[in-house]
Amino acid sequence: MSLKMSFWVRPSQKNQDRKSPIYLRLQLDGVRTEYYNNERYHESLNNCTPASVYNGTNKIILEQRRLLKQKSMKQRRRNHLRSKSAIFCNLLQTIMSNFFEDVQL
């Protein structure tokens, strides 16, 4: 694991114009490096950022994701069982109503 390093060279205003290609390139490299290290998730790092792995906060993030996934799966299972029981109850009600119609005739 390695963090991409960027060197922020701040040219002095009297020596270099802020609109020069070199200055703009350095600024672009800094923005790209910031994004790569702190915002972009890496699949090889369990979808964590390099900065979170370097700082050690990735374990907390992974645990929070695990708990959220567990909670989501329980909710999905509960919703699935509710829908199955609703279908079963409707089916049972239809069968019973048909049965009692036959019995009354």
Side-chain angles (χ1 to χ4, degrees):
M1 196 261 332
S2 66
L3 292 174
K4 285 192 181 259
M5 302 299 286
S6 70
F7 298 98
W8 288 81
V9 178
R10 297 182 186 236
S12 64
Q13 291 180 347
K14 57 185 169 183
N15 293 338
Q16 216 172 12
D17 185 20
R18 289 192 178 268
K19 294 181 181 179
S20 72
I22 296 171
Y23 179 79
L24 295 175
R25 178 67 183 182
L26 290 172
Q27 292 300 316
L28 181 62
D29 285 344
V31 170
R32 186 181 306 131
T33 302
E34 182 72 22
Y35 170 76
Y36 184 87
N37 288 335
N38 297 313
E39 295 179 33
R40 184 175 179 270
Y41 297 106
H42 296 260
E43 189 174 357
S44 62
L45 300 175
N46 290 327
N47 290 319
C48 292
T49 62
S52 66
V53 173
Y54 183 77
N55 295 331
T57 57
N58 65 324
K59 294 174 186 171
I60 297 168
I61 293 169
L62 292 174
E63 181 63 19
Q64 288 173 345
R65 287 180 188 167
R66 188 187 67 76
L67 292 174
L68 181 62
K69 182 178 179 180
Q70 197 174 37
K71 181 180 175 184
S72 299
M73 291 301 290
K74 283 182 182 179
Q75 184 66 35
R76 288 179 67 190
R77 190 174 296 118
R78 191 177 307 122
N79 290 341
H80 176 69
L81 292 175
R82 283 182 188 161
S83 68
K84 277 180 88 172
S85 65
I87 291 170
F88 179 73
C89 287
N90 289 337
L91 179 63
L92 186 61
Q93 186 178 13
T94 305
I95 292 171
M96 294 300 284
S97 66
N98 289 339
F99 174 74
F100 284 117
E101 285 178 4
D102 292 341
V103 169
Q104 289 177 355
L105 294 175

